[in-house]
Amino acid sequence: MMSFWLVLQQLALLILIITTDALNNNNESDHAALLAMKSKILDPFGGGALSSWNESSHFCNWEGVVCGKRHKRVTIIHLSSLGLSGTLSPHVGNLTFLRRLLLNNNTFHGEIPNEIGGLYRLKALVLRRNSFQGRIPSSLSRCSNLMNISIGFNNLVGTIPEEFSSLSMLKEISVHYNNLTGGIPKSLGNITSLEEFSAAYNHFAGTIPNNLGQLKNLVFLGLAGNQISGMIPSSLYNLSNLNFLSLSFNHLHGSLPPYFGNMFPHLKILQLHYNNFTGQLPNSIGNLTKAKTLAFSGNEFSGKLTVDFRKLVNLRRLYLDSNNLGSGDFDEMHFLESLTNCNSLEVLNIHGNQFRGVLPDFVGNLSSNLYCFGFSSNQLQGRIPPTIGNLVNLSLLGLSYNRFTGPIPSTIGKLQKLQRFVLQGNQLSGTIPVSIGNLSLIIGLYFSNNNLEGTIPSSIGNCKRLIALNLEQNNLSGTIPKELFQVSSLSIFLDLSDNNLSGPLPSEIGELKSLVALDISNNNLSGEIPGSVSSCTSLESLFLQGNMLQGSIPNSMEFMRGLQFLDLSSNNLSGQIPTFLEKLSLINLNLSFNDFNGELPLHGTFANSSSVSVYGNDKLCGGIPSLQLPRCPVKKLNRNFFFSSKRIYAIVGASILGILILISSLVFYLRKRKRESTTLKLLPKESFVQISYGELLNATDEFSSSNLIGAGGFGFVYRGVLDQIGDVAIKVLNLVNPGATRSFIAECKALKSIRHRNLVKIVTCCSSIDFQGNEFKALVYEFMMNGNLEKWLHPSQNTSRSEFNLLQRLRVAIDVAFALDYLHNQCEPTVIHCDLKPSNILLDQQMVSHVGDFGLARLYHPEMGISHHSSSMGVIGTVGYAAPEYGIGSEMSIKGDVYSYGVLLLEMLTGKRPTDLMFVNGLNIHNFVGQALAKNAVELVLDQAILKSDIVISQRDNCLIALVKIGLACSEELPQNRMCMTDVVRELQHINKAMFK
């Protein structure tokens, strides 16, 4: 008996030894797999996240690696949010004890390796927010223990594998924000353990499968932003555990059944907006007692709103905008009373419906948490109830385009958190209340197209954050208070046109240094245009027509270099038209119906009869023939002057002296040129500030890597500080590259004479010898605080940057269009940029855009054609942005720049680079957006960040559609079909103005 137990013990010991040896061997395989993974990972911080992955410690002690306590095998890899890039090695499939692979919030790319299917113990695969490409590997279906597949926010293509239906333990499938296609697999209905299915913002088509109704445990269903059509299947109403249901931005239709709200007792978020739903909103919506967000916007719901909301005590956001709701009944707005019981309500938006009747006094009893009150574009009438002043947390109050009458209630001054107040397009009367000055946080006031009267209250000067003010088309009178012009924050526009304002323009107008557009036309202003207007250095549009202004055009306006539109027509201005107007970047100049005299200038905007108007100035002469002005009289000289002997001697003596001076100057110049062989020959020395190599060395801390802010094919860009200038960007040419010198010459030559608000300003071109006797070339530019457009459109994972909204993108589009229009149509010779792309568009501290990098620029002379020597031959721009005709050897042209601009605009709208991996097999960004436009589904291809806007939705959508059309028209394949930049600028100006009406 004893011998039996002894044998058994020895056998157990032998098994333990064999097992231990096997585990030790497998430990080695884990070690090798981790090192193979490390070899494919790029760590931008050098000795950062993966610095511990070395032989000095056991791999179980490496950062992000967790091992089992008993067998010392890798069970978890947790490398989230470390700024890592590179690819995922197939050797990850050798980590057979791995249970969790967490690589989210990095920039990994490449395909998800098929070998990952060998991890049969894997429970969680979390790869979201990377740049993985290719298809979802069907081999994942072999990971029978998988509970969580989270691969959203990548660039994955193809379909959801049908094989996933075998994963009986799966609880979460998150594939949102990819480029997946096909339909929603019916087989998913077999995964009865599934609790979350998130597939939003892909390209899924077809209908919602009935089988999804079998997922009784489902609590999250997100299918927004696809191309799903049909009706909501009745089986979906069996998902009683849902707390999140999002079907927005699809093509669903039909009506909601009367029992809809009774089927989802746990629902917190319901998003059905932007589909094609019809019919009346069912009363049972009032039974969604857990609801926090209800979004029905952008459908075709109609009829009377009879939902009783009083039981929805958790409701925070109610979106009913952009439908056809309304019946015209006397108690039309009675539903608002039930909303007074929703004490958590923050957003109430019924904009763009057919609601009639009056706004009842009990709106003042709505939630004190309400910050968005959107009632614009309905048919509401009567007065604005003073009780609205009780909603003290409002930041947006939209009541525009209704039929409101009576005064603006003075209680509006109690809304001290208000940021946008929109009242235009009503029939309001009375005066603007003095209490408007209490709105210290207000950024936008829109009171146009009403019957307001009286004076503009001086208290408006207290609105120190105001960026846009629109009071046009009212009956306002009196003088413009100087306090208004002291609101230095005004930047987007100030519109006081079509009123009865009188008196002079206050000299304080010069304090509006950030203002882009000023319109005070069609009033009764008198006096002269103050010279201080030249201090409005950001002004692009100035409209003063239809007043009684007198005197001459101030000479100080010569310094308003950014001015694009100037209208001084129908005034009493006199004197000669100053020649400095030729030098301004004017797109349109209207001087009609004044009393100007003398000879009309010939150059600049005066050379284009479609850009200038001078009708009704009977004393003008000259100008280009198409303006049909009389010839200027020839000045007769006094014959006696020439026949005076003294004068003859004087003339001859002066002529001889002039010739001698000219000869001596020429000799001096030639000698000086010979001596200064290392200076830049292509530019006159006085064109730029003179800066030595030593100064640049000191400015950049000896070209320290800590000052390096960029690198390109022809050199490196450093940030530096020069004593006499301040912050600058210094592009040091890499002269080893044979094209660098040609690029240097091209850029200096292109930028030496052009000056425009939306072009990068070059400080100097430096060509000299460094301290070792080597040739040195550099370009010094003004420094742009906000970097380039590329970083705003495609920020890296570890970049902290505020959201890039629609208004900012529109501003960029306008700025770049102005720059190109100037280069193409207002420069002599014409400048063709040849390399327009986001990385070459820089943003200053005020987010004004500046086009830069003219290293590939070509100059076009009508007589000589394109100056091929101005850049390296064969370089045609950047793939994706270069015009298709360049690829077949066509000559560079301004139409090529237009193509690049179109692609750039589409990139700003979609958030997708033209080189995105989805653009294969003939699909490009132009076709991609064009197909969406043809299907009335533009919103599905847009960058979602620009849809998150406080702008009235109808205005936003109209703006986006118009921008998409411009982008498509500019990026047409055939050059002759593309827009010209002058037309682009004009269309963008219309869009910009419409956005703020």
Side-chain angles (χ1 to χ4, degrees), residues 540 757-758 786-790 792-793 804-820 836-838 840-844 846-851 901 904-905 908 963 981 984-985 988 992:
E540 296 175 1
R757 177 173 182 262
N758 298 121
N786 275 310
N788 62 36
L789 180 61
E790 172 77 15
W792 284 88
L793 290 176
F804 195 38
N805 61 38
L806 173 57
L807 293 181
Q808 290 171 315
R809 296 182 202 217
L810 175 59
R811 184 70 258 163
V812 170
I814 293 173
D815 289 342
V816 176
F818 277 153
L820 286 181
L836 189 70
K837 57 185 177 181
N840 288 341
I841 296 166
L842 305 177
L843 301 165
D844 66 19
Q846 286 75 42
M847 292 296 286
V848 174
S849 302
H850 303 258
V851 176
Y901 178 84
L904 172 74
L905 184 54
M908 284 199 291
L963 290 174
M981 290 313 302
V984 171
V985 168
L988 290 174
N992 190 47

Side-chain angles (χ1 to χ4, degrees), residues 725-929:
I725 297 171
D727 282 343
V728 292
I730 302 167
K731 181 178 180 180
V732 179
L733 277 295
N734 177 14
L735 299 180
V736 175
N737 187 323
T741 298
R742 287 193 293 265
S743 172
F744 174 73
I745 294 173
E747 195 153 8
C748 291
K749 197 163 189 176
L751 289 172
K752 74 170 184 177
S753 58
I754 55 177
R755 288 290 185 270
H756 189 276
R757 177 173 182 262
N758 298 121
L759 296 177
V760 171
K761 180 182 177 183
I762 190 166
V763 176
T764 192
C765 291
C766 178
S767 181
S768 62
I769 303 298
D770 66 17
F771 295 154
Q772 284 75 43
N774 300 313
E775 187 179 12
F776 175 86
K777 294 185 185 295
L779 299 107
V780 183
Y781 308 91
E782 61 181 339
F783 181 75
M784 295 294 166
M785 189 66 68
N786 275 310
N788 62 36
L789 180 61
E790 172 77 15
K791 295 178 181 178
W792 284 88
L793 290 176
H794 311 290
S796 61
Q797 296 288 347
N798 58 344
T799 299
S800 175
R801 195 181 293 282
S802 57
E803 196 163 83
F804 195 38
N805 61 38
L806 173 57
L807 293 181
Q808 290 171 315
R809 296 182 202 217
L810 175 59
R811 184 70 258 163
V812 170
I814 293 173
D815 289 342
V816 176
F818 277 153
L820 286 181
D821 184 49
Y822 171 77
L823 295 173
H824 293 175
N825 303 310
Q826 298 167 49
C827 287
E828 288 185 334
T830 295
V831 179
I832 307 170
H833 187 276
C834 295
D835 198 20
L836 189 70
K837 57 185 177 181
S839 60
N840 288 341
I841 296 166
L842 305 177
L843 301 165
D844 66 19
Q845 194 165 10
Q846 286 75 42
M847 292 296 286
V848 174
S849 302
H850 303 258
V851 176
D853 199 341
F854 284 72
L856 301 181
R858 308 288 174 95
L859 304 181
Y860 175 77
H861 301 261
E863 305 82 13
M864 298 179 290
I866 292 177
S867 57
H868 287 285
H869 64 275
S870 64
S871 69
S872 54
M873 297 296 292
V875 179
I876 58 172
T878 301
V879 174
Y881 303 92
E885 63 269 19
Y886 291 177
I888 56 174
S890 294
E891 189 96 311
M892 308 303 149
S893 72
I894 60 175
K895 289 295 187 181
D897 279 359
V898 174
Y899 179 90
S900 302
Y901 178 84
V903 171
L904 172 74
L905 184 54
L906 296 180
E907 182 176 1
M908 284 199 291
L909 294 171
T910 63
K912 293 186 180 296
R913 294 183 176 91
T915 54
D916 193 289
L917 291 175
M918 70 174 291
F919 299 129
V920 293
N921 301 323
L923 181 66
N924 57 33
I925 194 169
H926 175 94
N927 300 337
F928 174 64
V929 178

Side-chain angles (χ1 to χ4, degrees), residues 560-602:
M560 300 178 72
R561 298 294 185 178
L563 206 57
Q564 309 278 333
F565 298 88
L566 177 61
D567 194 335
L568 303 177
S569 62
S570 300
N571 278 286
N572 299 317
L573 297 170
S574 57
Q576 287 193 317
I577 295 175
T579 56
F580 69 71
L581 291 175
E582 293 177 315
K583 301 176 183 178
L584 300 186
S585 306
L586 290 169
I587 294 170
N588 188 278
L589 172 64
N590 192 347
L591 302 175
S592 300
F593 301 105
N594 280 285
D595 195 27
F596 291 115
N597 60 63
E599 186 172 1
L600 191 68
L602 292 169

Side-chain angles (χ1 to χ4, degrees), residues 490-701:
L490 278 166
S491 55
I492 296 180
F493 66 79
L494 171 59
D495 194 341
L496 308 177
S497 61
D498 295 285
N499 281 284
N500 298 311
L501 299 169
S502 59
L505 271 173
S507 60
E508 287 78 6
I509 191 173
E511 298 187 32
L512 299 178
K513 291 181 171 56
S514 300
L515 190 63
V516 171
L518 174 62
D519 191 346
I520 319 181
S521 59
N522 301 319
N523 280 283
N524 300 312
L525 299 177
S526 58
E528 297 187 354
I529 300 173
S532 59
V533 71
S534 63
S535 296
C536 301
T537 51
S538 298
L539 209 59
E540 296 175 1
S541 301
L542 177 59
F543 301 103
L544 297 176
Q545 70 270 22
N547 283 286
M548 295 182 289
L549 298 170
Q550 57 192 33
S552 59
I553 297 174
N555 289 330
S556 61
M557 289 183 69
E558 178 180 1
F559 303 104
M560 300 178 72
R561 298 294 185 178
L563 206 57
Q564 309 278 333
F565 298 88
L566 177 61
D567 194 335
L568 303 177
S569 62
S570 300
N571 278 286
N572 299 317
L573 297 170
S574 57
Q576 287 193 317
I577 295 175
T579 56
F580 69 71
L581 291 175
E582 293 177 315
K583 301 176 183 178
L584 300 186
S585 306
L586 290 169
I587 294 170
N588 188 278
L589 172 64
N590 192 347
L591 302 175
S592 300
F593 301 105
N594 280 285
D595 195 27
F596 291 115
N597 60 63
E599 186 172 1
L600 191 68
L602 292 169
H603 303 292
T605 190
F606 295 99
N608 186 348
S609 59
S610 63
S611 299
V612 65
S613 177
V614 291
Y615 297 116
N617 289 277
D618 298 336
K619 300 175 185 176
L620 285 177
C621 63
I624 58 175
S626 57
L627 292 176
Q628 299 181 339
L629 293 175
R631 289 185 178 181
C632 294
V634 178
K635 294 181 180 179
K636 294 183 179 180
L637 297 175
N638 186 344
R639 292 174 58 87
N640 293 329
F641 176 87
F642 291 100
F643 292 101
S644 164
S645 60
K646 290 183 179 180
R647 287 180 171 81
I648 290 173
Y649 295 146
I651 291 171
V652 172
S655 299
I656 294 172
L657 181 62
I659 292 170
L660 290 174
I661 292 173
L662 181 62
I663 292 172
S664 62
S665 297
L666 183 59
V667 170
F668 175 79
Y669 171 72
L670 291 174
R671 287 177 177 173
K672 186 175 181 182
R673 248 187 110 179
K674 187 174 181 180
R675 285 197 310 268
E676 297 180 354
S677 59
T678 60
T679 60
L680 183 63
K681 297 177 181 179
L682 109 94
L683 298 174
K685 191 171 182 180
E686 61 272 19
S687 295
F688 296 118
V689 176
Q690 299 301 299
I691 300 173
S692 68
Y693 171 80
E695 287 175 293
L696 295 183
L697 197 68
N698 292 334
T700 58
D701 193 17

Side-chain angles (χ1 to χ4, degrees), residues 418-424 436 439 441-448 460 463-472 484 487-496 512 514-519 807 811 951 955 992-997:
L418 199 61
Q419 295 183 36
R420 293 189 71 206
F421 189 12
V422 187
L423 286 179
Q424 71 257 36
I436 204 81
L439 306 181
L441 299 182
I442 197 77
I443 61 173
L445 286 172
Y446 308 89
F447 292 174
S448 61
I460 204 167
C463 302
K464 297 300 185 183
R465 298 191 179 185
L466 195 64
I467 63 173
L469 174 63
N470 193 347
L471 302 178
E472 70 168 318
L484 174 57
V487 181
S488 58
S489 60
L490 278 166
S491 55
I492 296 180
F493 66 79
L494 171 59
D495 194 341
L496 308 177
L512 299 178
S514 300
L515 190 63
V516 171
L518 174 62
D519 191 346
L807 293 181
R811 184 70 258 163
I951 302 168
Q955 290 176 317
N992 190 47
K993 192 164 186 179
M995 285 285 284
F996 297 100
K997 284 290 186 182

Side-chain angles (χ1 to χ4, degrees), residues 272-340:
L272 300 180
H273 49 295
Y274 291 94
N275 280 284
N276 301 311
F277 292 118
T278 55
Q280 192 170 2
L281 281 176
N283 290 340
S284 60
I285 295 292
N287 294 328
L288 296 171
T289 56
K290 298 287 182 67
K292 294 183 178 180
T293 297
L294 296 175
F296 301 104
S297 311
N299 283 285
E300 297 173 31
F301 290 116
S302 59
K304 188 173 184 178
L305 184 59
T306 56
V307 178
D308 186 345
F309 293 97
R310 72 183 70 240
K311 291 190 291 185
L312 277 60
V313 293
N314 299 302
L315 189 62
R316 293 183 181 179
R317 298 175 179 85
L318 177 60
Y319 299 96
L320 301 171
D321 50 291
S322 303
N323 281 286
N324 296 313
L325 294 168
S327 64
D329 292 351
F330 72 94
D331 59 347
E332 178 82 278
M333 305 301 291
H334 186 69
F335 73 93
L336 290 174
E337 187 172 13
S338 66
L339 282 169
T340 61

